[in-house]
Amino acid sequence: MQGRNAMAAINAVTDLSVEGDIGVVTLNSPPVNALSAAVREGLKGAFDAAIADDAVKAIVLICEGKTFIAGADITEFGKAMTGPSLQDVQNVIENSPKPVVAAIHGTVLGGGLEVALVAHYRVAVPSAKGGLPEVNIGLLPGAGGTQRLPRIVGVEKALEMVTSGQHAPAKAALAMGLFDELVEEGNLRAGAIDFARKVLAENRPLKKVRELNDKVEAARGKPEIFADFRKANAKKFRGFMAPENNIKCIEVAVNLPFDEGLKEERRLFMELMTGTQSAAQRYVFFAERQAAKIPDVPDDTPLIPVKKVGVIGAGTMGGGIAMNFLNAGVPVTIIEAKQENLERGVGIIRKNYENTAKKGRLTQDDVEKRMGLLTPSMNLEDLGDCDLIIEAVFELMEIKKEVFGKLDKIAKPGAILASNTSYLDIDAIAASTSRPESVIGLHFFSPANVMRLLEIVRGAKADKSVIATSMQIGKKIGKVAVLVGNCHGFVGNRMLAQRQREAQKLILEGAMPWDVDRVLYDFGLPMGPFAMSDLAGLDIGWDPAKTSSSTVREVLCEMDRRGQKNGKGFYDYDENRNAKPSAEVEGVIRDFAEKRQIQRREISDQEILERCLYPMVNEGAKILEEGKAIRASDIDIVWINGYGWPVYRGGPMFWGELVGLDKILAKMREFHETLGEDFKPSALLERLVAEGKGFKDA
């Protein structure tokens, strides 16, 4: 392929053109140029051809479409390898006798960055971002990323990047040496060719990252770098294997020669790749995307334009809900019945923004812009021009019905009327209007401006465009939206009730609150049910006028043990809110059990785990059986994003299959016999075990 401006297709996704003395390898494999077998084959072929062509003095690697190589082809994971390996491709590029320049736009992530790191130089446009996000799917960069990155950016920065998966914007990447030069936006190809000519003209060396040792040598003999990093992040990394394996790889880069480091990186990669944690995290990655697909609501369903939102209630929930829309630039009218409640609610929203600004995550200008979109009012009539109205008032059916009856007369035709209920029947709420087709449940989780989950509750008469619009709104305000059916507690709280019930029973039968909490915390949940009660306040929903000492919680409230807010609940708290087991509570529990004639016994950690979690899996099976969730993976997404189920355990349904549905069923039958109807196995669980199938076959 001699001569100027010649062009040859190498395969369906790659071509090589020659501009003067620069060979340009162009990759075009939509949507994100992932490193599939065809891409690896095309790259190897193109570089071999460019290296063999005497007219080519330097080589530029560039990608078509919206991004540079954005990573591995995750769909090939676990399948037999075809075509050249990624390492074969990297070796050809790194050992090229002609300088190679990677030209980067969009995102250069994971395997894509590992390819860019074997080029001798990297240029990028200002909007590009680079990173190694493998940790987010329970893996580590397995193609030399952990060995090359610290050699360019230094050990501390590399540790941060591989354990957080964060993307470094172009400016930061340039400052840390990851990129060599930024070229004009929209002019990447010409800029990269110019840069390659400059490399030739100045006779710059073939800079191999693997040979840059100053930065790793600077950290040698300083184990405290790693010890301090582990300590500082212990809480964040708790239970996860991938961050630890990533840290070990950077340690290896510091302490071993490059090729030995690569071998160790490979070993630690395979340990993760074949383990259950990464399988769970990859499953969650796909499950989250799957949740957006609703079989009977086609992609082309017309959407209702939502340009203005109304929120009824300026309490904790209402304020948090309003913030989601203000953050997305959508004007909000917020309604309260009393002036002081309205002022307090608006004041808290402002304070939240001011605190974010103090941390440098917002400018003061952003704060004012967001507050400027908020209209406080005490008049329901002011919601007449809203496209979406969300009710966040007290969780009582009579109150909700009254609000929706009024809204029906005020809201414009076609407006979506949503309830932020956590338990109540959405059809009963819809029936108090003349337009049940416009009513939907939008169940936000507290704090609503932080928690990622949005349970969208589909009423029997809800219009498809109302469902499609609600799903799209969820995405717009940065939530993970999951469509669920209408039943008491929907998906999340319905399953939570199973766990709460068993936790309450276990403390009467012989366990203590701190035993139950410890077992669930060690399993990976952020906190156990009793610590959670103390945090929320034991007196939520407790009425001193109607008290009857009918539960341990009621007795504790009567003794003025209200939880963290007054220093004593199920636990005793010091002034820094550190919890310790309470002898007083232990006495209360023993007395309560005695009055109920419950014979206390030794309860093992295993029984606590099985009784708290197996009924949840069983309830999830009932939810599927009744069609209240579309897929088992939707249930898992609810639990991971709304209730802190550890992502490395994949959600209750995924975890149930890991344990073995046959094992769970056998235990449920045993508990059913000894402990009664609460443990009746679901028909679906019985059927799947009999047929040797899993939830995805349901």
Side-chain angles (χ1 to χ4, degrees):
M1 189 178 73
Q2 295 290 343
R4 196 179 166 81
N5 297 344
M7 184 165 171
I10 302 295
N11 68 359
V13 297
T14 319
D15 62 52
L16 170 63
S17 59
V18 180
E19 300 205 6
D21 51 359
I22 309 294
V24 181
V25 175
T26 306
L27 192 57
N28 187 7
S29 179
V32 292
N33 296 310
L35 287 159
S36 61
V39 166
R40 297 192 304 270
E41 195 177 90
L43 284 175
K44 189 173 179 308
F47 274 92
D48 282 340
I51 290 164
D53 185 347
D54 294 338
V56 171
K57 301 291 181 249
I59 306 166
V60 167
L61 168 60
I62 193 166
C63 296
E64 290 284 341
K66 60 183 180 197
T67 183
F68 191 78
I69 301 166
D73 184 352
I74 199 169
T75 59
E76 287 187 4
F77 284 5
K79 296 180 185 158
M81 174 80 159
T82 58
S85 71
L86 181 51
Q87 207 174 351
D88 295 336
V89 175
Q90 287 175 303
N91 289 342
V92 173
I93 297 174
E94 192 167 46
N95 298 323
S96 160
K98 304 168 179 182
V100 176
V101 178
I104 296 163
H105 75 297
T107 48
V108 56
L109 300 176
L113 185 56
E114 289 174 303
V115 169
L117 284 170
V118 293
H120 306 118
Y121 297 94
R122 286 155 294 285
V123 300
V125 289
S127 60
K129 288 187 177 90
L132 294 169
E134 285 81 353
V135 70
N136 297 327
I137 49 168
L139 292 173
L140 56 83
T146 66
Q147 302 307 295
R148 288 187 180 91
L149 187 69
R151 285 177 158 81
I152 277 201
V153 306
V155 170
E156 285 91 343
K157 194 74 207 158
L159 280 170
E160 229 173 89
M161 286 178 73
V162 297
T163 58
S164 68
Q166 68 187 21
H167 302 176
K171 245 185 176 151
L174 178 70
M176 65 176 92
L178 193 56
F179 296 163
D180 294 287
E181 193 169 288
L182 297 188
V183 302
E184 197 192 352
E185 200 71 56
N187 208 12
L188 181 59
R189 186 186 172 100
I193 291 171
D194 286 348
F195 183 86
R197 294 212 163 105
K198 190 159 71 177
V199 168
L200 291 173
E202 294 171 10
N203 206 9
R204 290 195 197 179
L206 299 175
K207 200 170 69 180
K208 290 188 186 178
V209 175
R210 60 179 291 154
E211 290 166 4
L212 308 175
N213 287 319
D214 329 349
K215 289 186 177 169
V216 288
E217 278 164 7
R220 207 164 285 163
K222 293 185 186 164
E224 65 277 7
I225 293 176
F226 297 97
D228 293 348
F229 185 77
R230 284 187 171 100
K231 203 170 139 194
N233 292 285
K235 200 173 158 200
K236 197 164 78 187
F237 298 161
R238 177 175 76 93
F240 286 93
M241 281 174 66
E244 177 53 30
N245 277 22
N246 271 282
I247 295 169
K248 282 180 182 164
C249 282
I250 306 284
E251 276 179 313
V252 162
V254 169
N255 297 316
L256 293 181
F258 186 83
D259 285 319
E260 281 177 53
L262 277 187
K263 283 198 189 97
E264 190 55 10
E265 177 191 78
R266 190 81 207 145
R267 186 187 73 75
L268 289 164
F269 173 83
M270 288 315 293
E271 183 178 286
L272 294 173
M273 187 67 181
T274 54
T276 60
Q277 285 204 358
S278 178
Q281 286 176 260
R282 296 197 307 269
Y283 160 82
V284 171
F285 177 85
F286 287 117
E288 207 167 281
R289 282 147 185 76
Q290 193 69 30
K293 298 180 171 62
I294 298 155
D296 68 327
V297 178
D299 289 344
D300 58 2
T301 303
L303 298 175
I304 298 160
V306 175
K307 297 195 169 68
K308 191 171 181 191
V309 172
V311 176
I312 305 172
T316 311
M317 263 337 264
I321 291 168
M323 284 178 74
N324 288 301
F325 291 96
L326 301 175
N327 296 348
V330 180
V332 175
T333 299
I334 194 163
I335 305 284
E336 251 306 339
K338 292 193 180 125
Q339 184 67 39
E340 63 266 34
N341 294 353
L342 188 61
E343 282 171 15
R344 187 187 317 121
V346 172
I348 290 170
I349 294 175
R350 177 174 280 282
K351 198 170 131 215
N352 285 340
Y353 282 140
E354 301 279 3
N355 288 343
T356 309
K358 269 188 204 133
K359 292 176 190 149
R361 291 205 292 267
L362 279 182
T363 66
Q364 196 52 45
D365 196 34
D366 293 331
V367 174
E368 297 311 329
K369 209 180 271 166
R370 289 173 194 198
M371 291 308 293
L373 291 169
L374 184 65
T375 308
S377 165
M378 288 163 61
N379 188 355
L380 266 186
E381 273 75 26
D382 289 349
L383 301 177
D385 61 345
C386 291
D387 306 296
L388 162 67
I389 301 169
I390 303 169
E391 159 279 308
V393 301
F394 203 67
E395 188 74 349
L396 271 179
M397 185 55 95
E398 312 71 279
I399 300 179
K400 303 260 188 203
K401 282 181 156 174
E402 188 189 333
V403 168
F404 274 80
K406 286 179 183 167
L407 278 183
D408 190 31
K409 298 183 175 67
I410 293 165
K412 67 182 185 183
I416 299 173
L417 309 182
S419 175
N420 174 52
T421 174
S422 11
Y423 288 96
L424 302 177
D425 181 344
I426 208 77
D427 290 326
I429 293 172
S432 59
T433 72
S434 63
R435 39 170 135 183
E437 70 287 348
S438 294
V439 177
I440 196 141
L442 292 182
H443 178 207
F444 287 82
F445 285 68
S446 186
N449 51 315
V450 177
M451 294 295 280
R452 289 185 74 216
L453 180 67
L454 177 61
E455 253 185 337
I456 296 182
V457 190
R458 176 180 197 159
K461 296 184 172 165
D463 192 82
K464 285 182 184 178
S465 64
V466 170
I467 295 165
T469 305
S470 299
M471 293 297 287
Q472 187 242 355
I473 282 165
K475 199 173 169 184
K476 181 172 183 172
I477 60 174
K479 300 294 180 200
V480 177
V482 180
L483 188 71
V484 299
N486 181 30
C487 55
H488 184 74
F490 317 127
V491 167
N493 285 337
R494 177 171 164 180
M495 287 167 71
L496 180 66
Q498 298 288 318
R499 188 181 88 193
Q500 301 303 78
R501 181 195 66 230
E502 288 311 305
Q504 301 298 338
K505 279 161 56 179
L506 282 160
I507 65 171
L508 297 180
E509 291 169 32
M512 279 293 151
W514 29 96
D515 298 322
V516 177
D517 283 355
R518 174 179 45 79
V519 168
L520 292 174
Y521 179 81
D522 289 348
F523 176 78
L525 288 154
M527 54 175 61
F530 299 101
M532 189 73 207
S533 284
D534 276 0
L535 178 65
L538 297 193
D539 52 353
I540 284 188
W542 173 70
D543 184 349
K546 297 180 185 162
T547 193
S548 58
S549 313
S550 63
T551 63
V552 169
R553 183 185 79 122
E554 273 208 320
V555 175
L556 295 179
C557 283
E558 289 158 16
M559 296 166 67
D560 199 37
R561 296 188 69 99
R562 305 291 175 92
Q564 280 194 21
K565 58 181 157 195
N566 75 339
K568 46 189 202 245
F570 282 102
Y571 294 83
D572 292 331
Y573 293 89
D574 65 15
E575 64 283 358
N576 298 319
R577 293 200 174 193
N578 294 316
K580 65 174 204 295
S582 163
E584 187 175 35
V585 170
E586 187 160 336
V588 167
I589 291 170
R590 290 184 188 282
D591 290 351
F592 196 93
E594 206 176 310
K595 277 186 195 134
R596 296 285 163 111
Q597 296 174 331
I598 297 168
Q599 195 55 51
R600 287 177 70 81
R601 61 186 169 85
E602 192 66 41
I603 291 182
S604 70
D605 287 0
Q606 187 59 25
E607 183 181 342
I608 291 173
L609 195 73
E610 290 167 351
R611 278 181 56 186
C612 286
L613 301 187
Y614 288 8
M616 288 174 60
V617 178
N618 189 53
E619 196 65 25
K622 289 182 188 170
I623 286 168
L624 283 176
E625 202 176 294
E626 296 164 23
K628 301 299 180 191
I630 299 170
R631 302 161 269 263
S633 60
D634 287 1
I635 296 176
D636 288 335
I637 291 304
V638 164
W639 266 85
I640 281 166
N641 290 291
Y643 298 85
W645 186 279
V647 63
Y648 57 79
R649 294 194 192 273
M653 310 309 275
F654 180 92
W655 174 77
E657 293 194 344
L658 275 185
V659 171
L661 297 186
D662 52 342
K663 224 171 114 180
I664 289 180
L665 177 61
K667 208 66 190 164
M668 289 296 290
R669 283 175 174 158
E670 183 191 309
F671 286 148
H672 188 206
E673 238 164 75
T674 54
L675 298 166
E677 279 306 290
D678 286 341
F679 290 91
K680 188 178 189 325
S682 117
L684 178 64
L685 189 60
E686 303 255 17
R687 194 190 82 208
L688 291 176
V689 171
E691 294 172 2
K693 287 181 174 166
F695 287 125
K696 58 189 164 306
D697 310 306

